[in-house]
Amino acid sequence: MGSRSSHLRAKVVALLVSLAALWVFAAWVTLRDGLNLLWVQTYNTHIAQPMDPLLLELQRERQQSVVYLANRNSQRHQELESTRDRVRTLAKEFSDKATSLRARMASGSELEQRIDELIGGLDELARTRQAVDDGDIDRASTVQAYSTVLDTLFLVYDSLGQLDQPEIAKDTANLIELNRGRELLAQENALISGVIAAGRMSPEEYTRFVHLVGARRHTLETTVVRLPDADRARYQQMASGAAFKQLLAVEDALLQNSRPGGNLLVDAATWQSSVDPVLADLREVVIAGGDDVVDRAAPFAAGVIIRMVLAA
């Protein structure tokens, strides 16, 4: 009789251990999902927010570097140096925040690697700056050097967007893609600004311009249909405005009437008045969407953890 009781107790204990193990696993998965979403605020304040002004100033430095190479003068170099100083300051702020203890606690190994790669790329820009000052680099190579660093920055954004809540992760990925469309427009801005300063467009620059216009239009058109309703409404309001229509008209005129090696049919003032408002408007759409994602993530994460506690 005692033997049978012992055997029964062993079965009960084994069953309880199995159930406890299953609960611990389920609890960990649930808690991990909740914490992953709760870290969104840390991602935002320690990584995404410091990257935003850094992104803008890197794009500005790229444009000014190309313009300076096309037509070198002391005023342009002074403006370029001022932008470089801002980029160095912002790069230091980003590095300090993104590698802080709190940021490292929130980051997985992939995000840490991407952040370290970006910091390394920012440091490497010192060589490009020296080459620009010495005249040892052409405009196309300069654009490529800065665009490579900006590509690494977008890889950080991609890692930030890998959240465990599918809907929030999808919306974040689409906002990142919308921001990539803005980066394509910023590349186009650097290219055309340099061409205007030089006075003519090379065959390679014309081919690159055609590619950038097509890639940006395709990226924006295919991304906007996947945006949440609020973000899509913001974008459509921007796209129906006078500034966006003016940009498209100027681009179409350049595509149809420019000839490689010939003079451009647009001056610097006309170009900048066409592209700058759209760059600013696109940024506002992305920022507003990002704020919405952060606002949605925290309550969802708290709900996940509460449900886990109640289930326990």
Side-chain angles (χ1 to χ4, degrees):
M1 188 72 173
S3 175
R4 293 176 61 187
S5 298
S6 298
H7 185 62
L8 180 59
R9 281 197 302 271
K11 285 186 175 182
V12 171
V13 170
L15 178 61
L16 290 175
V17 169
S18 298
L19 289 172
L22 286 172
W23 182 86
V24 169
F25 175 75
W28 160 242
V29 171
T30 305
L31 181 62
R32 182 201 63 191
D33 293 350
L35 288 176
N36 180 262
L37 288 165
L38 283 175
W39 283 125
V40 167
Q41 190 63 49
T42 299
Y43 294 156
N44 188 45
T45 58
H46 285 69
I47 302 174
Q49 285 184 359
M51 278 203 305
D52 180 59
L54 178 60
L55 168 66
L56 294 180
E57 292 301 326
L58 278 170
Q59 290 170 336
R60 182 175 287 111
E61 184 182 346
R62 176 177 57 192
Q63 179 199 17
Q64 290 178 347
S65 297
V66 172
V67 171
Y68 176 69
L69 283 170
N71 191 345
R72 301 163 72 92
N73 62 55
S74 58
Q75 180 180 350
R76 282 179 174 153
H77 190 265
Q78 186 176 1
E79 292 172 352
L80 177 57
E81 274 299 320
S82 296
T83 303
R84 287 171 174 174
D85 287 340
R86 290 194 296 273
V87 170
R88 293 187 188 100
T89 298
L90 291 168
K92 177 66 166 56
E93 291 176 359
F94 167 75
S95 179
D96 290 345
K97 289 186 176 181
T99 60
S100 65
L101 177 61
R102 183 173 177 81
R104 288 302 196 194
M105 288 175 62
S107 304
S109 58
E110 178 184 336
L111 179 55
E112 286 187 17
Q113 179 183 344
R114 298 303 188 193
I115 289 171
D116 292 342
E117 289 172 354
L118 175 56
I119 292 171
L122 291 166
D123 292 340
E124 284 294 316
L125 282 179
R127 295 184 182 182
T128 302
R129 292 175 180 129
Q130 190 61 54
V132 169
D133 289 346
D134 296 340
D136 292 335
I137 188 172
D138 59 23
R139 299 200 300 272
S141 299
T142 301
V143 169
Q144 183 59 46
Y146 282 94
S147 298
T148 297
V149 177
L150 285 160
D151 286 344
T152 307
L153 186 149
F154 275 98
L155 290 176
V156 175
Y157 278 130
D158 287 340
S159 296
L160 287 174
Q162 294 178 9
L163 302 172
D164 290 315
Q165 209 288 324
E167 196 66 25
I168 293 177
K170 182 189 73 172
D171 293 345
T172 302
N174 288 329
L175 282 172
I176 292 169
E177 197 64 16
L178 194 67
N179 208 10
R180 274 196 171 91
R182 184 187 178 282
E183 160 60 9
L184 290 171
L185 180 58
Q187 288 185 38
E188 182 185 333
N189 183 29
L191 185 150
I192 295 298
S193 296
V195 166
I196 291 172
R200 60 187 58 247
M201 181 185 289
S202 71
E204 294 78 14
E205 287 170 329
Y206 180 79
T207 300
R208 181 62 179 163
F209 172 64
V210 173
H211 170 77
L212 285 171
V213 172
R216 191 210 72 238
R217 291 184 181 184
H218 175 75
T219 297
L220 295 182
E221 287 170 5
T222 56
T223 301
V224 67
V225 297
R226 302 193 302 267
L227 293 173
D229 292 343
D231 294 336
R232 190 184 310 116
R234 294 184 191 109
Y235 178 87
Q236 290 173 340
Q237 181 179 7
M238 177 211 70
S240 63
F244 196 77
K245 291 178 180 178
Q246 179 182 344
L247 173 65
L248 296 180
V250 171
E251 286 179 335
D252 288 341
L254 287 172
L255 289 169
Q256 295 167 11
N257 302 316
S258 296
R259 295 291 179 268
N263 295 327
L264 277 183
L265 302 178
V266 64
D267 57 22
T270 301
W271 172 250
Q272 293 306 147
S273 67
S274 301
V275 70
D276 286 348
V278 177
L279 285 168
D281 291 344
L282 273 172
R283 178 170 179 262
E284 289 303 316
V285 172
V286 172
I287 288 176
D291 289 342
D292 287 350
V293 167
V294 173
D295 290 343
R296 287 165 51 203
F300 187 93
V304 169
I305 294 175
I306 290 170
R307 286 198 300 273
M308 186 201 74
V309 173
L310 292 174

